[in-house]
Amino acid sequence: MTERIKEQIEAIRQSGETNMLDVKMVQWLANRDNYFELIIYLEEHRKEYLNYLFTGEAPEE
């Protein structure tokens, strides 16, 4: 997980527009905000994303 993806996740989290466990809505918001790296990351690394939400630990790049 890159720093850029972490920043994009945090931007959506800070907006308060969705429950971060609603991955489809997170992807929708990411698309709206042109966070294309995050959209792809969520498609390919959902387990790692959820682990990051629950533990704050991000996998290495």
Side-chain angles (χ1 to χ4, degrees):
M1 178 181 291
T2 66
E3 284 300 315
R4 184 172 177 94
I5 289 172
K6 287 187 223 177
E7 290 168 4
Q8 293 173 354
I9 291 169
E10 291 307 316
I12 292 174
R13 185 191 315 244
Q14 293 297 319
S15 77
E17 294 182 76
T18 190
N19 180 324
M20 296 303 288
L21 297 177
D22 184 350
V23 177
K24 292 294 181 190
M25 185 61 172
V26 171
Q27 286 180 303
W28 188 88
L29 292 168
N31 187 57
R32 180 196 69 188
D33 296 338
N34 298 317
Y35 297 159
F36 302 117
E37 300 93 340
L38 179 55
I39 296 167
I40 293 167
Y41 186 83
L42 291 172
E43 285 293 320
E44 297 175 355
H45 304 282
R46 189 163 300 199
K47 183 177 177 182
E48 291 88 345
Y49 166 74
L50 293 172
N51 185 61
Y52 176 70
L53 291 183
F54 288 118
T55 68
E57 296 177 12
E60 296 297 319
E61 294 180 40

